Structure formats: C-alpha cells, structure tokens
Amino acid sequence: MINLVWLVPLFPLLGFLINGLGRNTLPKSVVGFTGCFTVLASFVVSLGIFFELSTSDTKSFLIPLFDWISAGSVKIPFSFLVDPLSVLMLLIITGIGFLIHLYSTGYMSHDPGFAKFFSYLNLFIFFMLLLVLGSNYVIMFIGWEGVGLCSYLLIGFWFTNSSYSSAAKKAFIMNRIGDLGFLIAIFLIFTTFNSVEFASIFPQVTKMVAGDRVLIIITSLLFIGAIGKSAQIPLFTWLPDAMAGPTPVSALIHAATMVTAGIYMIARSNILFTLAPQTLQVVSLIGLATLLLAATIAVSQTDIKKVLAYSTVSQLGYMFLGLGVGAYTGAFFHVITHAFFKALLFLGAGSVIHAMSNEQDMRNMGGLRKKLPVTFLTMMIGTIAIAGLPPFSGFFSKDEILAHVYEHNKLFWTLGVIGAVFTSFYMFRMMFLTFNGNFRGTSDQEHHLHESPSSMTIPLIVLAVLSAVGGLIGIPEIFGGSHWLANFLSPVFAASAGKVPPLSLDHTTEYILMAVSVAGALGAMIFAYSRYINNNHIPAEDRFDRGALAKLSYNKYYIDEIYTAFIVRPLDRLSGFFFRIADNKGIDGLVNGFGKGALEASKSFRLLQSGMVGFYIFMMVTGIIALLVYSMYKI
C-alpha cells in the first residue's frame, strides 16, 4: 500500500480536472460526488498506508516517482517521503478535507459557482498533500506555493465584492513575503549541504555544532516562511481578513491545512532548529506574543467568524511556543486536536450563518439553542475542547505544551496560562451571545430559523466526536497512558531527542500545573456566564466593551492602520514617484526621445529631396570633392 502513495494526491487532482473542465456542463450532484469521492478515496488509501506503516519495522520509506531536475551537480528527484509525520498529516488533510467537502455540498448548494468552488477545493487538497509528502524542500515549496495560490482563489471566490478581492490579494501578498524567506533558505541549504533532500541534509546537520552561524541563518529564513504561512507576528493580519471567503474555506484554511504548514515545516526540519537554539528562542517569543495579542483581540470581536479567526492565530501561537521550547510532539499533538475542534467550530459557525440568512454579527443572534440543537451541542463540545477542559482533546495537547514551557521558562508558562484563560473567556462569550438569551435578530430571520441539512450536520457530529476523544492518542503517563503519539512520532524526532532534555517534572508538579490551567479556564467560563447570561449583557451595552482597552482590542490595536500608514502609503508614494519620474519621464522619455529624434531627423533630411536638378548636381560635385579630400588626407 505504501508504494501506492502517489494515488493520494492523484485523486484530488483528478477531481480538480473533472470539475474544472466540466464546470459548465456537469450537474451539481455529479460535481459534489466527484469532489467528495476523490478526497474520500485519498483518505482510504492514506488509512491503508497508516496501518501498514504502524505494523512495519521500517518507519521511513522513500518512494521515487521519476527523475525531475538534473543539471550538473543539481539532482532533484520527484519523490515522496512516507513516515509517521507525513502519514498523520495525510490522515488530517484528507479526513477533515472530506468532511469539509461534504459540508460544502449543502452550504454552497445555491451558489452559481458550485463546480468552480469544488475544483478549487480539490486543487487545494492536492497541493497540501504535495507539501507534506515531498521528500525534499523543493517539492515542499511547490505545495507551499500551490496552497498560497488556492487560498487566493478561495478567499476571493466571491470576487465581485471588492473587499473580498482585497482580502484575497492581502493574503497572497503577505504570504509572498514569508515565501521569499523560505526560498532563500532553500538556496542556502543547497549551497551548504549540496542537496535539498531531507535524507541527505539531516545526517549532515547532526554532525554540526549547536549554534552554528549557517544553521541560525537557515532556520531564521525558514521561520520567516513559517511566519507568513502560519500567520504569526508581524504577518498575521491576512488570516482574519481571510474570513471573506465562504465558511468551508475558512474551516479548510484555518483548521488542518494551510496554516499548519509552517508548524509541519519546522517539525520536519526539527534537527536544524534544535541545533539553532537562538532561533528557537525567537520562535518561542514570537509564538507567545502572537497567542496573547490575538487572544486579547478576540475577546471584543462581534463577528462570529472573526472571533474564530483570531482564535486560530492564538492557537497557532501556542504551537510555535511549543516548538520554541523543543516540545515538537506536543506542538504537533496540538495541530491534530486543533484540526478537530477548529474545523468543528468554523463549520458550526457556518451552520449558524446559514440559518441566520448570512448574518455574522453575534449582537443580532441569541436564543438559537432550541432552533439549532445539533449545531449548539457540537459547537459546545468544540468550545470545551479549545478551552482546555478535561477530558476533551484540547486539554491534553495544550497542557503538554504548557508543561514543557514551565520547565523551560516560568514567565512564559504564566503568560501561556493567561492566554488559555482568555481563550476560555472569548469562546464561551461567543457561545453565550450566539445561543443563549433572547433572539435579537429580525422577525424575518426568526421565521426562517432552522437546523442545517444532514450534509452539514453529519460532519459536525463526526468532528464533535473527534474533538471529544482525540486526546486519547496522547494520554500521558501521569494518567496511566503510554502517549501513543509520542511513541509513533519518535523516529521523526529521534535526532533531536538526544539533544533536547526530556520532560522531568514530577507528578505532583504536573497535577498542580494542570489544576491551575483548568481552574483558570473554569474561572473565565464562569465570568463569561455571569456577564452574558446572568446579567444579559450584549457588547454594545457593556461598559467593559466601551473602555479604552476594549476599544483598542475591538479595533485590533490599529495594526492594519499602522501598516497602512508606515508601509503601504510610503510604498504607494514611492511607486508613484518612480512611475512619474523614473518610468514616464526617464524610461518612457528616453524611448520616446529616440522615436521623436528619428522623426525630426527624417523631416529635416526630407527637405534635401527638393526635385531641383541643379541642387542634385551641386551635391554630387560636393560629394566628389569630399571624397578627393578624404583620399588625399589618408595618403
């Protein structure tokens, strides 16, 4: 089955071609079936590969497909790497991708661009699979750029709305900034190791000393790429604006695919980062700052999708914080659990928006619990999971990261717990404002309230179950588990394991850390309950929401405005200067000057053709005399 891994990306590619070429002729039922079936087929193959790998003594397989680039010393084969890390990513991408495709058949059923939407979704899945399967950085980069392109197409899917088109362009451009760092890193990697193949690079890296300057430069450039793709400070503002796309797109980008690419890339390159501790320190600092900044923004947002968007940015900050302290397994564990509950929450939000006739402002919702019982129950499970309350999945992955952070830096742990408290508050705030209290929408909206069709609720139920039990793959020894995930991923992180001290907290300390974290989350939940249910506050009437700090939070600390003032406008003025002076007057002036010079010269020389024989004889004699003088001068 492992040798058939090429089928995994092939199926979505076929789906893209079929739906793309037949978008004007195929009925919606065929389009929906094709889009869903191709991703489901990839999931089935991935499942078979997972089981075969689990029972195999060999945990890493290189599957060559064909010779791709061969020029002098540059030899880059097109080959796939099948190991525990890539296989788990295959299951996440295709499994959750299939659920999102299935959900989309209901959510997008009335959209005239139905077939085009599914072709874009299939293409996105193809490139994401290419990213995680590539056996070298070049194939990874192809997938990396491909998901960036597809995100542009999907975020701006409703491109007739200019603000949606602007959001798509913003995502594309900000990703290109990070991608430049990744691209330069690939060139430097090849220059240093004479290869871009993981199997050739990593053994060479293990022989290098920690803190090597070349490794610090390479990892810094790789991290710049991860910052762009995984929306960390300062390149995070594209992600909340990506909410302009249809809700299934938000779930696909924010949950299991594009935004986790940066975490995957660092996890794959773990030995490079382990031997560059200075870079890891920066990774942890950026992750910590991002999780706190995004969490404090989310507490005051009133758009249900914006709350979830900033929640994604914050949770990605947790993952980078984990990577920065060397908790590679914990960070990837959170990637998996986050994929479950964040996909659930976004699709649940889409169900609410669908029922509310495209209303996204929570201030105009309320009282939806009885009208949307399945959506409410599943979203509540997702909320409990992301809040880190036991025994749901987020509790295990978040606390594993925080335990490693505590051993690394007590201040970082304190700030991480504060971030967890904010997470619990803004998520329960979202739930209470949306589903509890009295309905605050219009009578027409209330009249049309209904639960979503089964094509939308079935994915919610499946994801709710995964969000509830997903933590079982990483039960720590303190609870009598063996942490299956850590054992399964151990071959991938084996090189780093010998250079990073293992977690050495005693059980009493672990219990205390968990208790503090859970107590903080419960306290935030109770505070949100008191404010938004007992006191029946809504943001427009709440003094907390009208304070100076709340205004800063609601306006996202004016970061977009700062970028506009100090980056966008100066660049606009500079480009305007070059357009007017360098382009119009310089380059165009030079080119047009040659044209005008030739034209004016031709006009002058035209006057010599007067038609008078005497003038012609005079010019001939003058020419003969000139030739004679020239000949005498040469002699």
Side-chain angles (χ1 to χ4, degrees):
M1 191 62 117
I2 290 176
N3 290 324
L4 297 178
V5 67
W6 53 272
L7 288 173
V8 178
L10 179 64
F11 285 131
L13 181 61
L14 290 176
F16 160 71
L17 293 173
I18 293 170
N19 285 334
L21 295 174
R23 65 187 182 279
N24 296 323
T25 55
L26 294 175
K28 287 185 176 180
S29 58
V30 174
V31 169
F33 175 80
T34 302
C36 293
F37 177 77
T38 52
V39 181
L40 178 61
S42 293
F43 175 71
V44 172
V45 176
S46 300
L47 206 57
I49 293 171
F50 167 75
F51 286 125
E52 184 174 340
L53 187 70
S54 299
T55 56
S56 172
D57 293 332
T58 304
K59 298 300 181 183
S60 181
F61 294 86
L62 186 66
I63 311 297
L65 299 181
F66 54 86
D67 291 331
W68 182 31
I69 298 175
S70 181
S73 62
V74 181
K75 296 187 185 301
I76 305 175
F78 200 97
S79 55
F80 290 156
L81 176 63
V82 178
D83 70 351
L85 186 63
S86 61
V87 166
L88 287 176
M89 286 299 294
L90 292 185
L91 292 176
I92 295 169
I93 295 164
T94 56
I96 294 181
F98 166 69
L99 294 175
I100 292 172
H101 276 69
L102 179 61
Y103 179 94
S104 300
T105 59
Y107 190 86
M108 299 294 290
S109 59
H110 301 296
D111 196 285
F114 186 82
K116 183 171 69 172
F117 181 78
F118 269 87
S119 67
Y120 288 168
L121 283 184
N122 280 162
L123 186 63
F124 189 102
I125 295 291
F126 164 73
F127 277 121
M128 192 65 202
L129 292 170
L130 206 62
L131 189 156
V132 301
L133 279 173
S135 68
N136 58 64
Y137 283 106
V138 175
I139 298 177
M140 181 190 284
F141 188 72
I142 294 173
W144 191 276
E145 290 297 287
V147 294
L149 168 65
C150 293
S151 69
Y152 167 77
L153 297 172
L154 288 167
I155 294 168
F157 184 74
W158 292 319
F159 59 87
T160 52
N161 186 318
S162 60
S163 63
Y164 293 179
S165 298
S166 297
K169 288 186 286 186
K170 182 177 183 179
F172 191 79
I173 292 169
M174 295 193 81
N175 271 270
R176 296 292 75 72
I177 296 171
D179 295 351
L180 178 61
F182 190 8
L183 186 60
I184 296 172
I186 293 174
F187 286 121
L188 187 54
I189 287 170
F190 181 80
T191 303
T192 305
F193 303 106
N194 200 35
S195 176
V196 291
E197 288 286 322
F198 303 142
S200 176
I201 295 168
F202 299 156
Q204 296 183 60
V205 174
T206 56
K207 299 175 183 177
M208 301 176 71
V209 298
D212 187 285
R213 187 180 58 162
V214 175
L215 288 181
I216 292 172
I217 296 173
I218 289 173
T219 51
S220 297
L221 291 168
L222 289 174
F223 181 51
I224 290 172
I227 284 174
K229 196 66 71 184
S230 296
Q232 297 295 285
I233 294 174
L235 302 178
F236 73 96
T237 56
W238 70 267
L239 193 57
D241 288 2
M243 295 299 96
T247 299
V249 174
S250 304
L252 191 64
I253 291 176
H254 287 233
T257 54
M258 180 173 165
V259 294
T260 61
I263 289 94
Y264 170 80
M265 182 256 282
I266 293 178
R268 173 64 69 194
S269 312
N270 61 88
I271 186 60
L272 287 166
F273 283 84
T274 298
L275 294 178
Q278 296 88 339
T279 305
L280 281 183
Q281 186 70 11
V282 174
V283 172
S284 60
L285 284 169
I286 293 293
L288 183 63
T290 303
L291 80 87
L292 289 172
L293 180 71
T296 56
I297 292 175
V299 296
S300 64
Q301 299 306 302
T302 55
D303 185 316
I304 188 170
K305 287 178 69 176
K306 282 290 177 71
V307 173
L308 294 176
Y310 281 104
S311 167
T312 298
V313 176
S314 183
Q315 295 302 307
L316 289 168
Y318 267 110
M319 298 172 204
F320 277 100
L321 177 60
L323 292 172
V325 298
Y328 298 115
T329 300
F332 193 74
F333 188 13
H334 204 56
V335 167
I336 296 173
T337 59
H338 179 264
F340 298 152
F341 55 67
K342 188 50 63 70
L344 166 61
L345 290 166
F346 265 112
L347 296 184
S351 180
V352 171
I353 295 167
H354 181 265
M356 289 288 297
S357 304
N358 297 319
E359 176 64 66
Q360 295 183 199
D361 195 328
M362 296 183 296
R363 292 172 295 187
N364 299 326
M365 297 180 185
L368 301 182
R369 183 162 52 106
K370 294 181 180 179
K371 297 288 187 179
L372 309 174
V374 176
T375 301
F376 166 72
L377 181 60
T378 54
M379 284 190 73
M380 181 57 76
I381 292 173
T383 298
I384 295 171
I386 194 175
L389 296 175
F392 294 90
S393 59
F395 164 75
F396 295 99
S397 57
K398 182 201 68 176
D399 275 46
E400 182 172 340
I401 291 175
L402 289 176
H404 282 272
V405 172
Y406 179 83
E407 196 166 54
H408 181 80
N409 188 307
K410 304 300 186 293
L411 175 61
F412 283 12
W413 174 82
T414 303
L415 295 174
V417 171
I418 292 173
V421 172
F422 273 109
T423 300
S424 179
F425 172 76
Y426 66 67
M427 288 306 303
F428 282 105
R429 169 182 179 268
M430 180 196 78
M431 290 297 295
F432 296 151
L433 284 173
T434 303
F435 292 100
N436 293 87
N438 298 318
F439 184 72
R440 298 182 295 274
T442 64
S443 57
D444 186 57
Q445 288 174 329
E446 188 173 17
H447 178 71
H448 289 94
L449 283 176
H450 62 280
E451 185 58 273
S452 299
S454 58
S455 61
M456 295 171 65
T457 55
I458 289 174
L460 293 179
I461 294 169
V462 174
L463 288 168
V465 172
L466 292 172
S467 298
V469 304
L472 296 178
I473 64 173
I475 295 179
E477 293 181 5
I478 191 173
F479 292 129
S482 59
H483 207 306
W484 175 87
L485 182 65
N487 294 328
F488 186 67
L489 289 175
S490 58
V492 179
F493 304 129
S496 294
K499 303 178 185 301
V500 175
L503 191 65
S504 59
L505 297 176
D506 59 81
H507 286 353
T508 302
T509 304
E510 287 192 64
Y511 280 126
I512 293 172
L513 296 181
M514 290 179 185
V516 171
S517 176
V518 171
L522 286 173
M525 180 190 70
I526 294 169
F527 178 65
Y529 184 90
S530 172
R531 179 171 293 276
Y532 296 105
I533 292 185
N534 286 349
N535 295 325
N536 199 29
H537 283 306
I538 59 173
E541 299 173 353
D542 190 354
R543 287 186 300 170
F544 172 78
D545 293 297
R546 293 206 306 264
L549 290 176
K551 185 177 180 181
L552 274 175
S553 169
Y554 183 76
N555 290 286
K556 303 105 177 176
Y557 297 103
Y558 301 97
I559 292 174
D560 277 314
E561 289 78 3
I562 291 170
Y563 285 173
T564 299
F566 292 99
I567 298 175
V568 177
R569 286 176 184 166
L571 285 176
D572 282 345
R573 284 193 287 268
L574 183 64
S575 61
F577 169 79
F578 279 115
F579 172 72
R580 293 189 304 273
I581 306 300
D583 195 4
N584 278 353
K585 295 184 180 179
I587 297 172
D588 287 353
L590 182 64
V591 174
N592 293 334
F594 280 116
K596 289 180 181 179
L599 185 63
E600 293 301 322
S602 63
K603 287 181 180 179
S604 301
F605 283 116
R606 179 179 60 81
L607 298 176
L608 296 177
Q609 305 297 324
S610 62
M612 299 175 63
V613 177
F615 177 72
Y616 292 158
I617 294 173
F618 171 75
M619 292 301 295
M620 183 180 67
V621 172
T622 302
I624 293 171
I625 293 172
L627 286 173
L628 289 173
V629 171
Y630 176 73
S631 299
M632 291 173 62
Y633 176 77
K634 283 189 67 177
I635 294 171

